Amino acid sequence: MLDAKTTCPLQTDNADVLLDYCSRSLDPARRGMLERHMAYCSECREMAAGQAEIWSAMDMFDAEPVSADFDRRLYSRIADIEKVPAWERVWAPIRAYLQGQPAWKPVISAAAASAVLAIVILVRPEAPTAPVAAPIEIQEVVEAEKALEDMDMLRQLDAEPEGN
Amino acid sequence: MRLALSLILALTVAAEPQPKPKFKGPGIGDRKGGPIRPESFEKFRNLSPEERRAALQNLPRERRENIERRLAEWEKMSPQDRQRVQGSYARFQEMTPEKQNQVRQLFRRFSETFPVERRLQAQGTIRRLKKADAEERKRIIESKRFLESYTDEERKLLEQMADELPDRQ
């Protein structure tokens, strides 16, 4: 399968075969075929060499041994966080924002804008539509309007010719 | 930057003037409201110009102008004329709402029937009819002058008005 020049894993979108080879998880039969292919395929050889360097670097890394009470300390810290007052939990993202953590910026900006909008709508004074508030009820205005209308009618009916 | 833009947007939206609800009061011809308290007119009349402007600000323009025009005419009247109209108005207010509406309808018909130049003559006739006793009234109605001056419809209207209008002081 991999022995012919036309079945290069990089040219047939099968790079995972090379990755398996480098991680030493490829079965022996396929590993033999790939090595025969690499004998004359420089691209696969280079990639395999690069992967081998990564694997050898990873082999050099020694993880710190986990302490015996790691789990106990972890759960203790989680419990401590849950004990933090609500205001501190609200303040924490703001503090993080002020310290320059970019992920919170849009949220804080939107919250600040909403707060300002709410304050402006609730607190802003009414636009001055009249110099003074009318010290009279609407109903009284309507009654005055009716009275004026009726008196105007009676005045016209009462009118006399001049000199009469 | 984003914060600043958000603040500007918020302030711009807040600066938009809120539409004020239009005053929905009874219309000119709507007479289904309660009785008119005389003190309402006096209270309105005694407002300062600024207070009056504020009181009328939400009324439709036509109604506002009518009120202002009628009030200006009222203020122009002589004390004697004002007293006379107030007397008529006091008696008008003693009428039932139905009777008041009848008078208003008669006045509308009168305004539609008689052109301005004939109104004073017609009003003089109404006054004579009102003052007359039954016999005198019969004499006026059958007089040549009355019959020649008015059509049948006009005569009927004048007689009706003489019956229904409140007495003068």
Side-chain angles (χ1 to χ4, degrees):
Chain A
M1 183 176 149
L2 288 169
D3 54 348
K5 289 177 185 174
T6 54
T7 55
C8 172
L10 294 178
Q11 289 174 11
T12 55
D13 222 9
N14 282 320
D16 54 331
V17 176
L18 272 170
L19 298 177
D20 288 346
Y21 171 77
C22 295
S23 64
R24 297 165 200 135
S25 58
L26 203 62
D27 62 81
R30 295 179 80 196
R31 189 171 67 233
M33 289 163 74
L34 182 61
E35 283 171 348
R36 282 196 295 278
H37 169 75
M38 284 193 294
Y40 56 81
C41 179
S42 59
E43 283 181 45
C44 286
R45 254 197 328 271
E46 282 171 20
M47 179 161 175
Q51 285 293 310
E53 276 180 31
I54 293 169
W55 277 101
S56 61
M58 287 173 74
D59 286 343
M60 287 167 67
F61 172 75
D62 288 326
E64 284 288 317
V66 176
S67 61
D69 62 344
F70 176 81
D71 285 353
R72 185 188 57 77
R73 287 191 293 119
L74 175 64
Y75 287 119
S76 168
R77 286 186 67 181
I78 292 170
D80 287 346
I81 289 169
E82 286 174 351
K83 274 189 236 166
V84 171
W87 66 267
E88 177 61 33
R89 270 180 272 170
V90 171
W91 173 245
I94 299 168
R95 189 170 51 208
Y97 169 74
L98 295 174
Q99 288 168 355
Q101 292 181 22
W104 284 98
K105 281 183 178 175
V107 178
I108 299 296
S109 300
S114 302
V116 170
L117 182 63
I119 289 167
V120 170
I121 287 172
L122 292 173
V123 177
R124 75 186 168 133
E126 276 287 308
T129 51
V132 289
I136 188 168
E137 299 291 324
I138 288 289
Q139 185 55 35
E140 292 174 308
V141 175
V142 173
E143 287 176 11
E145 178 188 21
K146 289 177 182 174
L148 274 168
E149 199 182 326
D150 288 336
M151 285 193 288
D152 186 46
M153 171 187 74
L154 294 169
R155 180 182 62 81
Q156 289 185 51
L157 290 172
D158 268 352
E160 290 181 16
E162 281 183 26
N164 199 1
Chain B
M1 182 63 180
R2 211 173 289 167
L3 179 63
L5 283 173
S6 303
L7 289 173
I8 290 166
L9 177 66
L11 291 170
T12 308
V13 170
E16 286 292 317
Q18 300 292 308
K20 269 187 105 66
K22 281 270 177 198
F23 170 66
K24 303 266 188 207
I28 288 283
D30 183 359
R31 289 299 186 169
K32 287 174 184 165
I36 298 170
R37 293 165 294 177
E39 61 267 26
S40 295
F41 171 65
E42 282 307 313
K43 192 173 175 183
F44 181 75
R45 214 188 128 205
N46 291 325
L47 294 177
S48 69
E50 290 78 20
E51 289 169 336
R52 195 174 298 149
R53 209 171 300 132
L56 298 178
Q57 67 175 342
N58 291 326
L59 284 178
R61 191 169 63 92
E62 194 184 347
R63 282 176 70 180
R64 198 169 58 233
E65 287 173 356
N66 275 333
I67 292 172
E68 283 163 354
R69 177 179 55 78
R70 287 183 172 130
L71 192 64
E73 282 168 1
W74 174 264
E75 300 295 348
K76 271 195 297 187
M77 285 167 74
S78 69
Q80 293 80 8
D81 286 346
R82 226 181 271 169
Q83 199 178 0
R84 197 175 66 230
V85 173
Q86 277 178 321
S88 296
Y89 184 60
R91 280 182 293 284
F92 178 77
Q93 283 194 300
E94 287 165 5
M95 295 174 161
T96 63
E98 292 75 24
K99 198 88 173 166
Q100 289 181 0
N101 275 335
Q102 204 178 343
V103 171
R104 291 184 188 110
Q105 282 169 13
L106 284 171
F107 175 68
R108 228 180 341 262
R109 274 177 59 200
F110 178 82
S111 304
E112 289 163 4
T113 305
F114 292 98
V116 177
E117 63 273 14
R118 291 184 66 207
R119 282 184 198 164
L120 283 178
Q121 183 201 359
Q123 283 164 219
T125 306
I126 295 168
R127 270 194 294 276
R128 276 201 304 280
L129 288 171
K130 272 190 88 65
K131 275 193 261 179
D133 56 23
E135 194 180 337
E136 172 69 3
R137 186 169 176 156
K138 190 170 179 289
R139 196 188 60 74
I140 294 171
I141 289 170
E142 289 172 355
S143 70
K144 192 180 170 191
R145 189 182 168 192
F146 186 73
L147 292 169
E148 285 178 352
S149 299
Y150 305 108
T151 64
D152 285 351
E153 194 189 343
E154 288 170 348
R155 286 198 295 271
K156 199 174 162 189
L157 176 61
L158 294 177
E159 284 180 62
Q160 210 177 344
M161 289 182 79
D163 292 334
E164 304 296 343
L165 290 187
D167 294 328
R168 296 181 81 190
Q169 197 176 36

